[in-house]
Amino acid sequence: MSWRTIYLLVKAYWLGNKPIASALERLSFQRKGSRSSLLSVVIGLMLLVMFVYFSLLLGLNYYSYQMLGVLIDQPLMGLFIASALSFFGLLLFSFTSIHDFLYTAKDILMVRTLKVGDASASLSRLILLYLHYAPLYWFLTLPALVVGSFIQGVSISYVLYSLLYLLFGPILPLCCSVLVALILIGASRGKRFRFLEEIAPMILLVLFIVGISASFTRNLGEDSLLDFQYEAMLATVAPLLTSLLEKLPLFTLQAKQMFSFSSSLLMVAINGIFVLLTSIAVVRTYQANFSKLLSNQSTRSRRKRAYEFKANSQVSALLKRELVVIRSNSSFLFELVGELFIPVILIVVYMLTGVMDEMAVLADTLKDFPFFEQILFLIMLLVANLGMLSSTSVSRQGRMFVYDRLYPVSAAVYVQAKLLLHMCLVGFPNIIYLSLSLMFFGLNPYHLLWMVPLSLTLILLSATLHLCIDYHNPKLDWTLAQQAMKSNPNGLIGLALSFVLEVVVAAFLVLPVLLGLPFIYFAAILCALALLSLRYTYRLVVTQASQALAR
């Protein structure tokens, strides 16, 4: 093992992928050599606002639990919640990508042809794994550190302990994720169990996030953002959290390390032990696990090549190919299934947490509002458009996109296949969600007469805008699948445009009701404008696709 070799491998990966420079370039919505525009500034500001909003939301909820802890003589409750939330969130979020990151990434095959030992190669991948996921941990814990400074005030020791917390905090969940992945590889002899490695962690992660969100929002009062229902929290939440403080001493120790040198030293020692054990386990099994996974991957590749797309048209054949691309990688499946089934997961979580009963009571009050149907429509539209299915569709193909340039197929056919996939996975399920929502709230089903055509038109318009973004500047040179979706700025730009579209639609649907104007006329005008915009955006995306295929 050579630390110089490890450093060179990490540096080569960083310089080759240029994650920060690539993100900034893509957020500018421009290709190399072109100037920035007003659109890039607007999108950047919107992304900054989203980041500040979620950070503020986390900080306010950590503050509520910290004040609850003060009431029950547990002032470190906010830091405890942040430690547990960050640990389980990072554990579940990183688990599905361990195989790809350590063994099956495209650049690993090139590294294996060099004179690089297993120890250097494996340790460099562990360091890259830390660099890749540590920012997520920092995002989840930094608001808690700010709130925690209210306990004893800001001091030099608190700042130093906070830096140690941020530096060593991501190590433990990542080590646990790697060790569990190694156990599964050894037990399965390199075979991929899709449910254990992809579906189960995805379901657990989404349930975890939605459950935390539901527990946060249900504690809010009505007067201000700092108005929390502490009496209800003392009766329902406090006993559970007190029990968790006793049963989860690791997170309690993490919270104490902000104010105790001995606790901080103990946490550093625990993280060091886990790093040592994980490094030894990965190094000693690296060659064997790499061979197992590579052999099984080759077997699956041969099976895929034997598969034939039997279809009656080019569009249907390309549609089936899109589904195969999604199923080919756990990260793609993880992201898209989580996005597409958000309404179902929300319903299940709300039923389990008792929020559904509260929503039923709230619905009786909200139904008296004259624009309640419009708000319901906007919520379902927002859920449908907040996805990365089309905004990363081209990027997911990676270097295989070159074959699209060789096939005797026009650009319009590729676009039609991708739009058809979007409507099948997003548009038509949205009709089901709208119908069920009307039934749940006891509304007249005649609202579907304007909701269905308007919803399908706006979803299709959003999909064409997302495709324009990805065809304009696709990220095809990724080495890890996460770079095509999770780390792809095209997806964030698509989300920003979806928010803009949502605001425009809200103005057409809600303002007429508030002003006492006929709502149905404005809905018809909105649908007509959406169809007109769809005509031009479709031409634009076909043009962008033609240019991408010609490059």
Side-chain angles (χ1 to χ4, degrees):
M1 182 184 69
S2 172
W3 288 107
R4 178 176 175 80
T5 303
I6 294 174
Y7 170 76
L8 289 176
L9 289 174
V10 174
K11 183 179 179 181
Y13 176 88
W14 192 267
L15 294 178
N17 288 277
K18 298 179 180 178
I20 298 178
S22 177
L24 293 176
E25 177 188 340
R26 291 175 179 279
L27 287 176
S28 67
F29 201 58
Q30 301 288 332
R31 290 192 292 270
K32 292 182 179 180
S34 58
R35 298 179 180 178
S36 60
S37 62
L38 178 62
L39 178 61
S40 65
V41 177
V42 173
I43 292 174
L45 290 176
M46 292 185 65
L47 294 176
L48 180 62
V49 170
M50 291 171 58
F51 175 80
V52 173
Y53 168 76
F54 286 114
S55 298
L56 182 62
L57 180 64
L58 284 172
L60 288 174
N61 285 284
Y62 290 149
Y63 174 79
S64 70
Y65 284 104
Q66 181 170 297
M67 296 305 297
L68 175 66
V70 172
L71 296 176
I72 60 176
D73 199 23
Q74 297 289 347
L76 302 180
M77 184 68 73
L79 292 170
F80 171 82
I81 294 293
S83 299
L85 172 66
S86 304
F87 177 89
F88 290 109
L90 188 60
L91 176 68
L92 295 173
F93 197 78
S94 63
F95 180 74
T96 58
S97 60
I98 296 298
H99 280 183
D100 294 334
F101 222 108
L102 294 183
Y103 301 106
T104 59
K106 296 180 180 180
D107 60 322
I108 294 181
L109 294 176
M110 294 185 289
V111 172
R112 300 299 289 176
T113 61
L114 304 175
K115 192 177 180 180
V116 177
D118 293 339
S120 299
S122 57
L123 291 179
S124 68
R125 303 307 296 188
L126 290 176
I127 294 174
L128 290 171
L129 182 68
Y130 173 86
L131 295 175
H132 188 79
Y133 283 106
L136 174 62
Y137 189 91
W138 300 337
F139 172 74
L140 294 174
T141 55
L142 194 57
L145 298 179
V146 176
V147 173
S149 64
F150 300 160
I151 300 176
Q152 296 182 1
V154 181
S155 62
I156 296 177
S157 61
Y158 185 83
V159 173
L160 294 177
Y161 290 145
S162 298
L163 293 176
L164 286 176
Y165 183 95
L166 294 173
L167 181 64
F168 290 95
I171 292 177
L172 197 56
L174 289 176
C175 287
C176 293
S177 183
V178 171
L179 291 174
V180 173
L182 293 181
I183 293 173
L184 284 178
I185 294 174
S188 63
R189 296 181 180 179
K191 295 180 181 179
R192 302 290 294 269
F193 290 101
R194 185 172 292 271
F195 179 79
L196 290 177
E197 299 173 7
E198 302 171 6
I199 307 301
M202 177 203 65
I203 295 175
L204 290 175
L205 177 61
V206 176
L207 290 176
F208 175 73
I209 294 175
V210 175
I212 292 295
S213 302
S215 66
F216 281 171
T217 55
R218 70 183 302 178
N219 296 326
L220 288 174
E222 298 179 356
D223 295 336
S224 67
L225 291 175
L226 297 178
D227 176 31
F228 294 93
Q229 301 174 358
Y230 290 112
E231 294 182 357
M233 295 174 69
L234 284 171
T236 58
V237 182
L240 175 61
L241 293 180
T242 304
S243 177
L244 291 177
L245 280 169
E246 299 175 355
K247 296 179 180 179
L248 300 174
L250 176 64
F251 305 129
T252 305
L253 183 63
Q254 277 189 300
K256 290 180 179 179
Q257 80 176 65
M258 306 304 303
F259 306 97
S260 171
F261 176 76
S262 58
S263 299
S264 180
L265 190 62
L266 182 57
M267 281 304 306
V268 171
I270 292 174
N271 283 296
I273 293 173
F274 268 87
V275 168
L276 181 62
L277 293 176
T278 304
S279 300
I280 293 174
V282 172
V283 170
R284 290 190 174 183
T285 60
Y286 193 74
Q287 180 58 44
N289 290 339
F290 180 80
S291 301
K292 291 176 183 177
L293 291 172
L294 188 62
S295 61
N296 283 287
Q297 190 180 43
S298 300
T299 302
R300 291 194 305 271
S301 298
R302 288 194 296 268
R303 291 174 181 173
K304 289 178 183 178
R305 282 195 295 267
Y307 184 82
E308 296 181 359
F309 296 108
K310 295 181 179 180
N312 297 324
S313 66
Q314 294 176 338
V315 173
S316 57
L318 291 173
L319 175 64
K320 293 180 179 179
R321 189 194 65 168
E322 292 290 330
L323 293 174
V324 171
V325 171
I326 293 173
R327 293 182 57 197
S328 65
N329 194 281
S330 60
S331 296
F332 299 160
L333 195 65
F334 181 91
E335 287 287 331
L336 296 177
V337 173
E339 293 172 359
L340 298 176
F341 288 95
I342 283 178
V344 178
I345 296 172
L346 283 173
I347 292 174
V348 173
V349 173
Y350 287 165
M351 290 177 63
L352 295 176
T353 56
V355 179
M356 189 63 73
D357 297 333
E358 299 177 7
M359 290 182 62
V361 176
L362 181 63
D364 294 334
T365 305
L366 293 178
K367 282 191 295 185
D368 296 333
F369 285 93
F371 50 84
F372 177 68
E373 295 83 1
Q374 289 83 346
I375 295 298
L376 186 63
F377 174 83
L378 290 171
I379 293 174
M380 291 294 104
L381 180 65
L382 183 64
V383 171
N385 287 338
L386 286 184
M388 298 184 180
L389 177 62
S390 292
S391 58
T392 60
S393 178
V394 184
S395 299
R396 287 195 301 267
Q397 295 180 236
R399 292 184 174 89
M400 302 300 291
F401 180 73
V402 68
Y403 292 107
D404 286 5
R405 298 166 178 162
L406 302 177
Y407 297 147
V409 178
S410 64
V413 176
Y414 289 112
V415 172
Q416 292 167 10
K418 293 180 182 295
L419 292 178
L420 180 60
L421 175 70
H422 191 98
M423 297 307 295
C424 290
L425 298 182
V426 178
F428 297 114
N430 184 258
I431 297 176
I432 299 176
Y433 297 147
L434 283 172
S435 304
L436 294 177
S437 299
L438 293 178
M439 292 176 57
F440 176 79
F441 291 108
L443 301 175
N444 198 319
Y446 86 89
H447 289 290
L448 292 174
L449 295 177
W450 66 267
M451 286 183 172
V452 170
L454 185 58
S455 176
L456 292 179
T457 304
L458 293 173
I459 291 174
L460 188 58
L461 176 61
S462 176
T464 55
L465 291 173
H466 288 188
L467 276 180
C468 285
I469 296 170
D470 210 29
Y471 266 120
H472 175 76
N473 193 16
K475 186 176 180 61
L476 304 176
D477 55 347
W478 49 269
T479 55
L480 294 170
Q482 293 83 359
Q483 297 170 347
M485 289 199 68
K486 297 177 184 177
S487 305
N488 191 346
N490 290 351
L492 296 178
I493 296 173
L495 296 179
L497 290 180
S498 296
F499 273 114
V500 173
L501 180 63
E502 186 78 10
V503 172
V504 174
V505 175
F508 271 89
L509 297 183
V510 177
L511 288 180
V513 180
L514 296 176
L515 298 176
L517 301 175
F519 152 74
I520 195 64
Y521 295 142
F522 284 85
I525 294 173
L526 176 62
C527 190
L529 291 176
L531 288 173
L532 183 63
S533 302
L534 181 61
R535 177 183 178 183
Y536 288 101
T537 54
Y538 176 76
R539 292 180 179 177
L540 177 61
V541 72
V542 171
T543 302
Q544 294 290 341
S546 300
Q547 294 176 357
L549 293 172
R551 287 197 291 265

